[in-house]
Amino acid sequence: MDELTLLRNARDDTREPTPEMIAEGREALVNRIARGDGTTTTELPRSARRRTLPRVTWVAAGVAAGMIAVLVAGNISLGAQSAYASGVLRAAATETIAYANLVPDSGEYLRARTHARWQACTGDEDGAVVCAPNDQILDVFMPADPAAEWVLFRDWGNQSGITTDGSIETIRAADGAFYGPDSSWVTVDYADIPTEGAAAYDWIDSQYTGGSASRDEDDFVRITDILRSGLVPAPQRAALLDALSRIPGVTATDDVANLDGVTGTAIGRNEPVRAGERQEVIIDPATGLIIGERTVSGTTVFGWGPDEVVELTAIETTIATTAP
Amino acid sequence: MSSDNEVIERSAVEPAVFATLYDRHAPSVFRYAAQRLGDDAGQDVMSETFLVAFERRASYDLTVPDARPWLLGIATRLMRKHSRVEAAAWKGMSADLAAQIAPDAVESTGSRIDAERLSRRLAKTLRHLSPADRDTLLLYAWADLDYSSIAAVTGVPVGTVKSRLNRARRLLRRAAGAGSTTTSTEQEIDHGRTDTAPQRS
Protein backbone atom coordinates (compact mmCIF):
# COMPACT_ATOMS: atom_id res chain seq x y z
CA MET A 1 0.00 0.00 0.00
CA ASP A 2 1.40 3.42 -0.93
CA GLU A 3 1.40 6.60 1.11
CA LEU A 4 -1.64 7.89 -0.76
CA THR A 5 -3.72 4.92 0.29
CA LEU A 6 -2.45 5.35 3.80
CA LEU A 7 -3.70 8.91 3.72
CA ARG A 8 -7.03 7.76 2.35
CA ASN A 9 -7.28 5.35 5.23
CA ALA A 10 -6.91 8.30 7.54
CA ARG A 11 -10.02 9.85 6.04
CA ASP A 12 -13.01 9.58 8.30
CA ASP A 13 -15.90 8.62 6.05
CA THR A 14 -18.23 8.27 9.00
CA ARG A 15 -18.07 11.98 9.72
CA GLU A 16 -21.50 13.35 8.90
CA PRO A 17 -23.15 16.67 9.59
CA THR A 18 -25.87 16.53 12.20
CA PRO A 19 -29.45 17.21 11.08
CA GLU A 20 -29.22 20.53 12.93
CA MET A 21 -26.12 21.52 10.95
CA ILE A 22 -27.80 20.62 7.69
CA ALA A 23 -30.94 22.52 8.65
CA GLU A 24 -29.02 25.65 9.65
CA GLY A 25 -27.04 25.71 6.44
CA ARG A 26 -30.12 25.12 4.37
CA GLU A 27 -32.01 27.88 6.14
CA ALA A 28 -29.18 30.33 5.47
CA LEU A 29 -29.23 29.42 1.79
CA VAL A 30 -33.00 29.59 1.49
CA ASN A 31 -33.02 32.99 3.22
CA ARG A 32 -30.38 34.17 0.81
CA ILE A 33 -32.38 32.96 -2.15
CA ALA A 34 -35.57 34.51 -0.79
CA ARG A 35 -33.87 37.87 -0.44
CA GLY A 36 -33.16 37.84 -4.13
CA ASP A 37 -29.94 37.56 -6.03
CA GLY A 38 -27.07 39.51 -4.65
CA THR A 39 -25.19 39.97 -7.86
CA THR A 40 -25.91 41.09 -11.32
CA THR A 41 -24.32 38.02 -12.77
CA THR A 42 -26.72 35.70 -11.09
CA GLU A 43 -29.62 37.60 -12.43
CA LEU A 44 -28.22 37.97 -15.89
CA PRO A 45 -27.71 34.42 -16.99
CA ARG A 46 -28.38 33.46 -20.49
CA SER A 47 -30.00 34.45 -23.66
CA ALA A 48 -29.36 31.86 -26.27
CA ARG A 49 -31.64 33.77 -28.56
CA ARG A 50 -29.68 37.01 -28.42
CA ARG A 51 -27.78 37.47 -31.61
CA THR A 52 -27.73 41.11 -32.54
CA LEU A 53 -28.50 44.28 -30.75
CA PRO A 54 -30.49 46.86 -32.63
CA ARG A 55 -28.70 50.02 -33.43
CA VAL A 56 -31.18 52.62 -32.35
CA THR A 57 -30.83 56.17 -33.51
CA TRP A 58 -32.33 59.36 -32.27
CA VAL A 59 -35.95 58.79 -31.69
CA ALA A 60 -38.75 61.26 -31.44
CA ALA A 61 -40.06 60.35 -28.09
CA GLY A 62 -40.29 62.54 -25.05
CA VAL A 63 -39.85 60.01 -22.36
CA ALA A 64 -37.36 62.09 -20.48
CA ALA A 65 -39.30 65.30 -20.78
CA GLY A 66 -42.47 63.53 -19.83
CA MET A 67 -40.89 62.01 -16.79
CA ILE A 68 -39.62 65.37 -15.68
CA ALA A 69 -43.04 66.86 -16.14
CA VAL A 70 -44.85 64.22 -14.22
CA LEU A 71 -42.50 62.49 -11.83
CA VAL A 72 -40.98 65.65 -10.48
CA ALA A 73 -44.39 67.22 -10.21
CA GLY A 74 -45.02 65.76 -6.84
CA ASN A 75 -43.02 64.79 -3.83
CA ILE A 76 -44.37 61.37 -3.59
CA SER A 77 -44.65 59.72 -0.25
CA LEU A 78 -44.75 55.98 -0.12
CA GLY A 79 -48.33 56.34 0.91
CA ALA A 80 -49.29 57.99 -2.36
CA GLN A 81 -48.18 55.11 -4.22
CA SER A 82 -49.39 52.61 -6.53
CA ALA A 83 -51.96 54.56 -8.46
CA TYR A 84 -49.78 57.64 -8.62
CA ALA A 85 -46.69 55.68 -9.62
CA SER A 86 -48.58 53.85 -12.32
CA GLY A 87 -50.01 57.10 -13.58
CA VAL A 88 -46.77 58.96 -13.79
CA LEU A 89 -44.90 56.17 -15.44
CA ARG A 90 -47.59 55.60 -18.00
CA ALA A 91 -47.89 59.28 -18.73
CA ALA A 92 -44.14 59.58 -19.05
CA ALA A 93 -43.96 56.73 -21.48
CA THR A 94 -46.64 58.17 -23.69
CA GLU A 95 -45.06 61.60 -23.92
CA THR A 96 -43.28 61.74 -27.22
CA ILE A 97 -40.68 64.41 -27.70
CA ALA A 98 -37.21 63.96 -29.09
CA TYR A 99 -34.55 62.70 -26.78
CA ALA A 100 -31.03 61.43 -27.13
CA ASN A 101 -30.12 57.80 -27.21
CA LEU A 102 -26.58 56.66 -26.49
CA VAL A 103 -25.24 54.83 -29.52
CA PRO A 104 -21.53 54.02 -29.91
CA ASP A 105 -19.84 54.68 -33.24
CA SER A 106 -17.77 52.06 -34.97
CA GLY A 107 -14.92 50.99 -32.74
CA GLU A 108 -16.54 52.49 -29.67
CA TYR A 109 -18.35 50.85 -26.79
CA LEU A 110 -21.48 51.46 -24.80
CA ARG A 111 -20.15 51.24 -21.30
CA ALA A 112 -22.36 50.50 -18.30
CA ARG A 113 -20.62 50.91 -14.96
CA THR A 114 -22.30 49.46 -11.90
CA HIS A 115 -21.01 50.46 -8.51
CA ALA A 116 -22.76 48.03 -6.22
CA ARG A 117 -22.98 47.68 -2.48
CA TRP A 118 -24.30 44.19 -2.04
CA GLN A 119 -24.26 42.00 0.99
CA ALA A 120 -21.56 39.36 1.33
CA CYS A 121 -22.51 36.65 3.78
CA THR A 122 -20.22 34.43 5.78
CA GLY A 123 -20.57 32.14 8.74
CA ASP A 124 -19.17 33.35 12.04
CA GLU A 125 -17.48 31.24 14.69
CA ASP A 126 -20.82 30.31 16.21
CA GLY A 127 -22.15 29.06 12.90
CA ALA A 128 -24.48 32.00 12.37
CA VAL A 129 -24.66 33.66 8.97
CA VAL A 130 -23.28 37.18 9.10
CA CYS A 131 -23.80 39.57 6.21
CA ALA A 132 -21.83 42.75 5.63
CA PRO A 133 -21.88 45.32 2.82
CA ASN A 134 -19.29 44.78 0.11
CA ASP A 135 -18.64 47.22 -2.74
CA GLN A 136 -18.11 45.87 -6.23
CA ILE A 137 -17.37 47.60 -9.52
CA LEU A 138 -18.66 46.06 -12.74
CA ASP A 139 -17.72 47.75 -16.01
CA VAL A 140 -19.37 46.23 -19.05
CA PHE A 141 -18.19 47.37 -22.47
CA MET A 142 -20.64 46.48 -25.22
CA PRO A 143 -19.08 47.02 -28.67
CA ALA A 144 -20.82 48.92 -31.44
CA ASP A 145 -20.45 45.82 -33.54
CA PRO A 146 -22.46 43.18 -31.65
CA ALA A 147 -20.29 40.43 -33.09
CA ALA A 148 -17.13 41.95 -31.63
CA GLU A 149 -15.69 41.13 -28.26
CA TRP A 150 -17.37 42.42 -25.12
CA VAL A 151 -15.29 43.20 -22.05
CA LEU A 152 -16.16 42.88 -18.37
CA PHE A 153 -13.91 44.49 -15.80
CA ARG A 154 -14.96 43.41 -12.34
CA ASP A 155 -13.60 44.24 -8.91
CA TRP A 156 -15.14 41.94 -6.33
CA GLY A 157 -14.07 44.17 -3.45
CA ASN A 158 -13.53 42.36 -0.20
CA GLN A 159 -15.43 39.25 -1.19
CA SER A 160 -13.10 36.32 -0.75
CA GLY A 161 -13.01 32.98 -2.46
CA ILE A 162 -14.16 34.32 -5.81
CA THR A 163 -11.09 34.93 -7.93
CA THR A 164 -7.90 32.99 -7.57
CA ASP A 165 -5.64 36.05 -7.56
CA GLY A 166 -6.74 39.27 -5.94
CA SER A 167 -10.19 40.71 -6.32
CA ILE A 168 -10.12 41.89 -9.94
CA GLU A 169 -10.97 39.99 -13.09
CA THR A 170 -11.15 41.13 -16.71
CA ILE A 171 -13.15 38.85 -18.97
CA ARG A 172 -13.48 39.12 -22.74
CA ALA A 173 -16.20 37.27 -24.57
CA ALA A 174 -18.24 37.54 -27.70
CA ASP A 175 -21.91 38.22 -27.17
CA GLY A 176 -21.33 39.17 -23.52
CA ALA A 177 -21.00 35.50 -22.56
CA PHE A 178 -18.56 36.30 -19.76
CA TYR A 179 -19.41 33.33 -17.57
CA GLY A 180 -19.72 30.49 -20.03
CA PRO A 181 -20.72 29.93 -23.61
CA ASP A 182 -24.40 29.66 -22.75
CA SER A 183 -24.49 32.80 -20.68
CA SER A 184 -25.01 36.34 -21.84
CA TRP A 185 -24.82 39.59 -19.94
CA VAL A 186 -28.11 40.74 -21.37
CA THR A 187 -31.08 38.50 -20.86
CA VAL A 188 -33.04 39.17 -24.01
CA ASP A 189 -32.69 40.25 -27.58
CA TYR A 190 -33.60 43.91 -27.27
CA ALA A 191 -35.13 43.78 -30.71
CA ASP A 192 -37.74 41.40 -29.32
CA ILE A 193 -39.06 43.96 -26.83
CA PRO A 194 -42.20 45.69 -28.09
CA THR A 195 -41.81 49.45 -28.10
CA GLU A 196 -45.33 50.13 -26.90
CA GLY A 197 -46.03 49.90 -23.19
CA ALA A 198 -49.07 47.63 -23.12
CA ALA A 199 -47.48 45.30 -25.64
CA ALA A 200 -44.28 45.25 -23.62
CA TYR A 201 -46.26 44.33 -20.52
CA ASP A 202 -48.09 41.55 -22.37
CA TRP A 203 -44.76 40.34 -23.72
CA ILE A 204 -43.27 40.11 -20.25
CA ASP A 205 -46.35 38.66 -18.63
CA SER A 206 -46.73 35.99 -21.30
CA GLN A 207 -43.28 34.67 -20.42
CA TYR A 208 -44.23 33.94 -16.83
CA THR A 209 -43.48 30.31 -16.10
CA GLY A 210 -43.99 30.25 -12.36
CA GLY A 211 -41.64 31.20 -9.58
CA SER A 212 -41.27 34.24 -7.32
CA ALA A 213 -43.73 35.08 -4.59
CA SER A 214 -46.33 36.16 -7.12
CA ARG A 215 -46.81 36.62 -10.83
CA ASP A 216 -46.63 40.38 -10.37
CA GLU A 217 -43.35 40.14 -8.50
CA ASP A 218 -41.93 37.90 -11.18
CA ASP A 219 -42.96 40.33 -13.92
CA PHE A 220 -41.40 43.20 -11.99
CA VAL A 221 -38.18 41.31 -11.41
CA ARG A 222 -37.83 40.22 -15.02
CA ILE A 223 -38.29 43.79 -16.24
CA THR A 224 -35.74 45.16 -13.80
CA ASP A 225 -33.40 42.31 -14.74
CA ILE A 226 -33.43 43.69 -18.26
CA LEU A 227 -33.18 47.34 -17.26
CA ARG A 228 -30.31 47.02 -14.81
CA SER A 229 -27.83 46.21 -17.55
CA GLY A 230 -27.86 49.92 -18.39
CA LEU A 231 -27.61 48.91 -22.06
CA VAL A 232 -31.26 48.89 -23.14
CA PRO A 233 -31.96 51.19 -26.11
CA ALA A 234 -34.23 54.12 -25.30
CA PRO A 235 -37.44 53.05 -27.10
CA GLN A 236 -37.42 49.66 -25.46
CA ARG A 237 -36.47 51.20 -22.13
CA ALA A 238 -39.43 53.57 -22.36
CA ALA A 239 -41.77 50.69 -23.12
CA LEU A 240 -40.45 48.69 -20.19
CA LEU A 241 -40.93 51.64 -17.83
CA ASP A 242 -44.50 51.84 -19.06
CA ALA A 243 -44.87 48.10 -18.53
CA LEU A 244 -43.66 48.52 -14.96
CA SER A 245 -46.45 51.01 -14.37
CA ARG A 246 -48.98 48.33 -15.23
CA ILE A 247 -47.87 45.98 -12.48
CA PRO A 248 -50.04 46.12 -9.35
CA GLY A 249 -48.31 47.38 -6.22
CA VAL A 250 -45.83 49.67 -7.97
CA THR A 251 -44.64 52.63 -5.91
CA ALA A 252 -42.64 55.76 -6.66
CA THR A 253 -40.34 57.67 -4.32
CA ASP A 254 -38.73 60.95 -5.34
CA ASP A 255 -35.28 62.24 -4.46
CA VAL A 256 -33.65 58.91 -3.85
CA ALA A 257 -29.84 58.97 -4.02
CA ASN A 258 -27.98 56.16 -5.73
CA LEU A 259 -24.71 54.81 -4.35
CA ASP A 260 -22.75 57.62 -6.00
CA GLY A 261 -25.05 60.29 -4.58
CA VAL A 262 -26.93 61.00 -7.81
CA THR A 263 -30.62 61.45 -7.08
CA GLY A 264 -33.56 60.17 -9.05
CA THR A 265 -36.95 58.56 -8.61
CA ALA A 266 -37.14 55.06 -7.22
CA ILE A 267 -39.72 52.79 -8.79
CA GLY A 268 -40.47 49.82 -6.60
CA ARG A 269 -43.01 47.36 -5.48
CA ASN A 270 -44.24 46.11 -2.16
CA GLU A 271 -44.64 42.37 -2.07
CA PRO A 272 -46.76 41.24 0.85
CA VAL A 273 -45.17 37.82 0.90
CA ARG A 274 -41.74 39.45 1.29
CA ALA A 275 -42.81 41.12 4.53
CA GLY A 276 -42.74 44.50 2.87
CA GLU A 277 -39.27 44.27 1.31
CA ARG A 278 -39.00 46.53 -1.71
CA GLN A 279 -36.84 46.09 -4.78
CA GLU A 280 -36.50 49.38 -6.64
CA VAL A 281 -34.89 50.76 -9.75
CA ILE A 282 -33.77 54.36 -9.59
CA ILE A 283 -34.50 56.41 -12.67
CA ASP A 284 -33.05 59.75 -13.69
CA PRO A 285 -36.20 61.64 -14.64
CA ALA A 286 -34.15 63.96 -16.85
CA THR A 287 -32.95 61.20 -19.14
CA GLY A 288 -35.06 58.14 -18.45
CA LEU A 289 -31.84 56.26 -17.77
CA ILE A 290 -31.58 53.67 -15.03
CA ILE A 291 -29.10 55.14 -12.55
CA GLY A 292 -29.24 52.54 -9.81
CA GLU A 293 -31.13 50.02 -7.76
CA ARG A 294 -31.83 49.63 -4.10
CA THR A 295 -33.37 47.09 -1.80
CA VAL A 296 -35.22 48.33 1.25
CA SER A 297 -35.94 45.90 4.05
CA GLY A 298 -39.50 45.47 5.15
CA THR A 299 -38.74 43.86 8.45
CA THR A 300 -35.87 43.04 10.73
CA VAL A 301 -33.50 40.73 8.93
CA PHE A 302 -29.77 40.11 9.39
CA GLY A 303 -29.55 43.14 11.65
CA TRP A 304 -31.46 45.59 9.49
CA GLY A 305 -34.63 47.18 10.67
CA PRO A 306 -37.71 48.07 8.63
CA ASP A 307 -37.20 50.59 5.83
CA GLU A 308 -33.42 50.37 5.97
CA VAL A 309 -31.49 50.24 2.71
CA VAL A 310 -30.01 46.77 2.49
CA GLU A 311 -28.45 46.99 -0.96
CA LEU A 312 -27.73 49.96 -3.21
CA THR A 313 -26.10 50.47 -6.57
CA ALA A 314 -25.21 53.25 -8.97
CA ILE A 315 -25.41 52.61 -12.70
CA GLU A 316 -23.87 54.97 -15.22
CA THR A 317 -24.10 54.52 -18.96
CA THR A 318 -21.64 56.34 -21.21
CA ILE A 319 -19.86 55.99 -24.54
CA ALA A 320 -16.28 54.72 -24.26
CA THR A 321 -13.69 54.89 -27.02
CA THR A 322 -11.57 52.11 -25.55
CA ALA A 323 -12.00 49.06 -23.33
CA PRO A 324 -9.47 47.55 -20.89
CA MET B 1 -33.88 13.49 -11.60
CA SER B 2 -32.20 16.56 -13.03
CA SER B 3 -28.43 16.62 -13.16
CA ASP B 4 -26.58 19.36 -11.29
CA ASN B 5 -25.97 21.45 -14.36
CA GLU B 6 -29.65 21.30 -15.24
CA VAL B 7 -30.54 22.44 -11.73
CA ILE B 8 -28.10 25.34 -11.92
CA GLU B 9 -29.36 26.36 -15.34
CA ARG B 10 -32.94 26.27 -14.08
CA SER B 11 -32.01 28.29 -11.01
CA ALA B 12 -31.29 31.26 -13.26
CA VAL B 13 -35.02 31.78 -13.65
CA GLU B 14 -36.17 29.86 -10.60
CA PRO B 15 -33.60 30.52 -7.86
CA ALA B 16 -35.35 28.35 -5.26
CA VAL B 17 -34.34 25.15 -7.05
CA PHE B 18 -30.73 25.88 -6.14
CA ALA B 19 -31.49 24.41 -2.72
CA THR B 20 -31.59 21.03 -4.47
CA LEU B 21 -27.85 21.31 -4.92
CA TYR B 22 -27.48 21.82 -1.19
CA ASP B 23 -29.51 18.73 -0.44
CA ARG B 24 -27.32 16.67 -2.73
CA HIS B 25 -23.87 17.87 -1.83
CA ALA B 26 -23.88 19.54 1.59
CA PRO B 27 -22.83 16.34 3.41
CA SER B 28 -19.95 15.78 1.01
CA VAL B 29 -18.71 19.37 1.39
CA PHE B 30 -19.04 19.06 5.16
CA ARG B 31 -17.06 15.82 5.28
CA TYR B 32 -14.22 17.33 3.33
CA ALA B 33 -14.16 20.59 5.29
CA ALA B 34 -14.70 19.03 8.71
CA GLN B 35 -11.97 16.49 8.11
CA ARG B 36 -9.55 19.37 7.64
CA LEU B 37 -10.93 21.95 10.06
CA GLY B 38 -13.04 20.13 12.61
CA ASP B 39 -16.80 20.07 12.83
CA ASP B 40 -17.45 23.68 13.83
CA ALA B 41 -15.42 25.36 11.12
CA GLY B 42 -16.47 22.61 8.73
CA GLN B 43 -20.08 23.58 9.25
CA ASP B 44 -19.24 27.22 8.56
CA VAL B 45 -17.47 26.33 5.35
CA MET B 46 -20.31 24.06 4.26
CA SER B 47 -22.85 26.84 4.73
CA GLU B 48 -20.73 29.56 3.17
CA THR B 49 -19.84 27.40 0.20
CA PHE B 50 -23.43 27.27 -0.94
CA LEU B 51 -23.98 30.99 -0.38
CA VAL B 52 -20.98 31.74 -2.59
CA ALA B 53 -22.04 29.10 -5.09
CA PHE B 54 -25.49 30.65 -5.32
CA GLU B 55 -23.98 34.05 -6.05
CA ARG B 56 -21.56 32.56 -8.56
CA ARG B 57 -23.92 30.16 -10.27
CA ALA B 58 -23.93 32.18 -13.47
CA SER B 59 -20.25 31.33 -13.86
CA TYR B 60 -20.83 27.60 -13.69
CA ASP B 61 -19.78 25.65 -16.76
CA LEU B 62 -23.10 24.16 -17.79
CA THR B 63 -21.38 21.44 -19.81
CA VAL B 64 -20.27 19.79 -16.53
CA PRO B 65 -23.07 17.61 -15.13
CA ASP B 66 -21.56 17.09 -11.65
CA ALA B 67 -21.24 20.24 -9.52
CA ARG B 68 -19.42 18.53 -6.68
CA PRO B 69 -15.90 19.45 -7.87
CA TRP B 70 -16.98 23.07 -8.31
CA LEU B 71 -18.42 23.16 -4.81
CA LEU B 72 -15.33 21.56 -3.29
CA GLY B 73 -13.21 24.12 -5.11
CA ILE B 74 -15.20 26.93 -3.52
CA ALA B 75 -14.94 25.21 -0.15
CA THR B 76 -11.18 24.88 -0.57
CA ARG B 77 -10.79 28.59 -1.24
CA LEU B 78 -12.99 29.45 1.70
CA MET B 79 -10.88 27.23 3.91
CA ARG B 80 -7.90 29.50 3.34
CA LYS B 81 -9.58 31.89 5.75
CA HIS B 82 -9.35 29.19 8.37
CA SER B 83 -5.65 28.43 8.02
CA ARG B 84 -4.99 28.96 11.72
CA VAL B 85 -7.86 26.68 12.61
CA GLU B 86 -6.53 24.10 10.21
CA ALA B 87 -3.00 24.33 11.57
CA ALA B 88 -4.34 23.77 15.07
CA ALA B 89 -6.58 21.01 13.82
CA TRP B 90 -3.64 19.12 12.30
CA LYS B 91 -1.84 19.30 15.63
CA GLY B 92 -4.73 17.75 17.44
CA MET B 93 -5.62 15.33 14.75
CA SER B 94 -3.03 12.70 15.33
CA ALA B 95 -5.20 10.62 17.60
CA ASP B 96 -8.14 10.91 15.21
CA LEU B 97 -6.00 9.88 12.31
CA ALA B 98 -4.54 7.00 14.25
CA ALA B 99 -8.01 5.73 14.96
CA GLN B 100 -8.80 5.77 11.30
CA ILE B 101 -5.74 3.88 10.17
CA ALA B 102 -6.33 0.18 10.27
CA PRO B 103 -3.57 -1.94 11.83
CA ASP B 104 -2.89 -3.81 8.61
CA ALA B 105 -2.34 -0.50 6.91
CA VAL B 106 0.38 0.34 9.36
CA GLU B 107 1.87 -3.09 8.82
CA SER B 108 1.92 -2.75 5.10
CA THR B 109 3.84 0.51 5.13
CA GLY B 110 6.83 -1.48 6.17
CA SER B 111 7.30 0.84 9.00
CA ARG B 112 7.90 -0.25 12.55
CA ILE B 113 6.30 2.76 14.07
CA ASP B 114 2.92 2.37 15.56
CA ALA B 115 -0.23 3.94 14.26
CA GLU B 116 -0.10 6.91 16.56
CA ARG B 117 3.45 7.82 15.69
CA LEU B 118 2.71 7.34 12.04
CA SER B 119 -0.35 9.52 12.18
CA ARG B 120 1.60 12.16 14.06
CA ARG B 121 4.14 12.21 11.28
CA LEU B 122 1.44 12.38 8.66
CA ALA B 123 -0.28 15.25 10.43
CA LYS B 124 2.97 17.13 10.82
CA THR B 125 3.80 16.66 7.17
CA LEU B 126 0.38 17.80 6.10
CA ARG B 127 0.65 20.83 8.36
CA HIS B 128 3.95 21.84 6.81
CA LEU B 129 2.90 21.45 3.20
CA SER B 130 2.36 24.64 1.25
CA PRO B 131 -1.34 25.55 1.07
CA ALA B 132 -1.43 24.84 -2.67
CA ASP B 133 0.22 21.43 -2.28
CA ARG B 134 -2.00 20.53 0.65
CA ASP B 135 -5.16 21.57 -1.20
CA THR B 136 -4.13 19.52 -4.20
CA LEU B 137 -3.26 16.46 -2.16
CA LEU B 138 -6.42 16.50 -0.11
CA LEU B 139 -8.72 17.23 -3.03
CA TYR B 140 -7.17 14.15 -4.60
CA ALA B 141 -6.98 11.84 -1.61
CA TRP B 142 -9.93 12.90 0.49
CA ALA B 143 -12.32 14.46 -1.99
CA ASP B 144 -11.57 11.93 -4.74
CA LEU B 145 -11.27 14.53 -7.49
CA ASP B 146 -9.25 13.61 -10.55
CA TYR B 147 -6.41 15.70 -12.00
CA SER B 148 -8.52 17.62 -14.47
CA SER B 149 -11.15 18.48 -11.88
CA ILE B 150 -8.51 19.71 -9.46
CA ALA B 151 -6.93 21.74 -12.23
CA ALA B 152 -10.29 23.27 -13.07
CA VAL B 153 -11.26 24.20 -9.53
CA THR B 154 -7.83 25.51 -8.53
CA GLY B 155 -7.25 27.34 -11.78
CA VAL B 156 -3.91 25.78 -12.69
CA PRO B 157 -2.78 23.48 -15.53
CA VAL B 158 -3.01 19.73 -15.06
CA GLY B 159 0.78 19.56 -15.14
CA THR B 160 0.96 21.82 -12.12
CA VAL B 161 -1.49 19.57 -10.30
CA LYS B 162 0.73 16.58 -11.01
CA SER B 163 3.82 18.43 -9.85
CA ARG B 164 2.17 19.51 -6.63
CA LEU B 165 0.86 16.04 -6.01
CA ASN B 166 4.22 14.49 -6.64
CA ARG B 167 5.92 16.87 -4.24
CA ALA B 168 3.34 16.27 -1.53
CA ARG B 169 3.50 12.51 -1.95
CA ARG B 170 7.27 12.49 -1.71
CA LEU B 171 7.06 14.22 1.66
CA LEU B 172 4.31 11.92 2.84
CA ARG B 173 6.29 8.89 1.78
CA ARG B 174 9.27 10.13 3.69
CA ALA B 175 7.12 10.70 6.75
CA ALA B 176 5.74 7.19 6.48
CA GLY B 177 9.28 5.87 6.57
CA ALA B 178 9.45 4.69 3.00
CA GLY B 179 11.66 7.40 1.62
CA SER B 180 13.74 5.00 -0.38
CA THR B 181 10.91 4.43 -2.80
CA THR B 182 10.68 8.07 -3.79
CA THR B 183 9.83 8.47 -7.41
CA SER B 184 12.31 10.19 -9.64
CA THR B 185 9.74 11.64 -11.96
CA GLU B 186 9.09 15.35 -11.80
CA GLN B 187 5.37 14.95 -12.15
CA GLU B 188 2.89 12.66 -10.61
CA ILE B 189 2.18 9.58 -12.65
CA ASP B 190 -1.41 8.54 -12.58
CA HIS B 191 -0.90 5.40 -10.55
CA GLY B 192 -2.33 6.51 -7.28
CA ARG B 193 -5.81 5.48 -8.34
CA THR B 194 -4.79 1.85 -8.51
CA ASP B 195 -5.22 1.65 -4.78
CA THR B 196 -8.07 3.96 -4.21
CA ALA B 197 -10.38 2.39 -1.69
CA PRO B 198 -9.72 3.01 1.96
CA GLN B 199 -8.93 -0.28 3.64
CA ARG B 200 -11.83 0.16 6.01
CA SER B 201 -14.44 0.36 3.30
Side-chain angles (χ1 to χ4, degrees), chain A residues 108-196:
Chain A
E108 294 182 332
Y109 298 85
L110 187 59
R111 170 202 191 205
R113 159 168 284 214
T114 301
H115 177 198
R117 183 164 296 157
W118 289 318
Q119 301 302 317
C121 298
T122 59
D124 68 11
E125 292 179 354
D126 298 325
V129 175
V130 177
C131 298
N134 177 52
D135 278 21
Q136 291 192 33
I137 297 290
L138 302 94
D139 268 339
V140 176
F141 295 79
M142 183 181 79
D145 174 6
E149 199 172 57
W150 295 42
V151 179
L152 167 65
F153 169 88
R154 184 167 194 168
D155 184 343
W156 287 86
N158 294 323
Q159 206 160 345
S160 61
I162 304 296
T163 55
T164 51
D165 298 308
S167 65
I168 294 173
E169 61 185 3
T170 303
I171 305 173
R172 303 169 200 284
D175 219 23
F178 300 122
Y179 292 103
D182 294 328
S183 70
S184 179
W185 197 253
V186 296
T187 54
V188 298
D189 186 337
Y190 295 144
D192 288 348
I193 303 172
T195 52
E196 191 275 323

Side-chain angles (χ1 to χ4, degrees), chain B:
Chain B
M1 187 177 70
S2 300
S3 57
D4 292 344
N5 55 346
E6 290 169 340
V7 170
I8 293 170
E9 184 173 24
R10 201 170 135 218
S11 74
V13 292
E14 198 178 339
V17 303
F18 195 84
T20 304
L21 222 57
Y22 180 88
D23 298 335
R24 289 178 186 173
H25 297 296
S28 175
V29 172
F30 173 84
R31 276 194 295 273
Y32 175 63
Q35 182 82 52
R36 292 181 59 168
L37 303 177
D39 285 359
D40 288 345
Q43 182 187 3
D44 292 345
V45 168
M46 173 185 72
S47 180
E48 196 177 351
T49 293
F50 287 88
L51 296 176
V52 171
F54 176 70
E55 292 214 7
R56 291 282 289 161
R57 69 192 192 281
S59 68
Y60 186 77
D61 181 354
L62 292 173
T63 63
V64 180
D66 182 10
R68 185 173 161 274
W70 176 61
L71 293 166
L72 290 170
I74 293 172
T76 299
R77 284 191 289 278
L78 292 173
M79 274 190 264
R80 294 279 176 87
K81 290 191 304 185
H82 298 273
S83 55
R84 287 184 180 176
V85 176
E86 184 170 29
W90 288 125
K91 284 182 180 175
M93 210 171 281
S94 299
D96 289 345
L97 288 176
Q100 300 302 324
I101 299 174
D104 59 339
V106 179
E107 185 73 23
S108 63
T109 61
S111 171
R112 295 180 181 175
I113 57 179
D114 60 18
E116 191 169 339
R117 285 185 62 197
L118 176 59
S119 60
R120 204 160 43 233
R121 285 187 181 186
L122 282 179
K124 184 179 178 183
T125 304
L126 286 166
R127 192 169 78 239
H128 289 156
L129 288 177
S130 73
D133 287 357
R134 186 166 54 238
D135 288 343
T136 303
L137 177 68
L138 295 179
L139 283 169
Y140 188 76
W142 281 357
D144 290 330
L145 298 192
D146 58 22
Y147 296 150
S148 60
S149 293
I150 296 172
V153 301
T154 56
V156 299
V158 170
T160 303
V161 171
K162 292 180 178 179
S163 297
R164 289 175 177 174
L165 202 49
N166 181 51
R167 191 164 48 232
R169 288 187 65 173
R170 261 205 314 262
L171 293 171
L172 270 189
R173 197 172 299 133
R174 195 173 301 155
S180 60
T181 61
T182 300
T183 178
S184 61
T185 55
E186 277 305 306
Q187 292 190 338
E188 169 67 7
I189 300 169
D190 194 3
H191 54 57
R193 292 289 183 219
T194 59
D195 195 5
T196 53
Q199 302 303 299
R200 291 170 286 103
S201 60

Side-chain angles (χ1 to χ4, degrees), chain A residues 45-68:
Chain A
R46 69 205 66 264
S47 176
R49 297 181 298 109
R50 206 192 75 75
R51 289 173 295 280
T52 59
L53 289 171
R55 185 182 179 84
V56 183
T57 57
W58 292 77
V59 179
V63 171
M67 293 184 76
I68 293 172

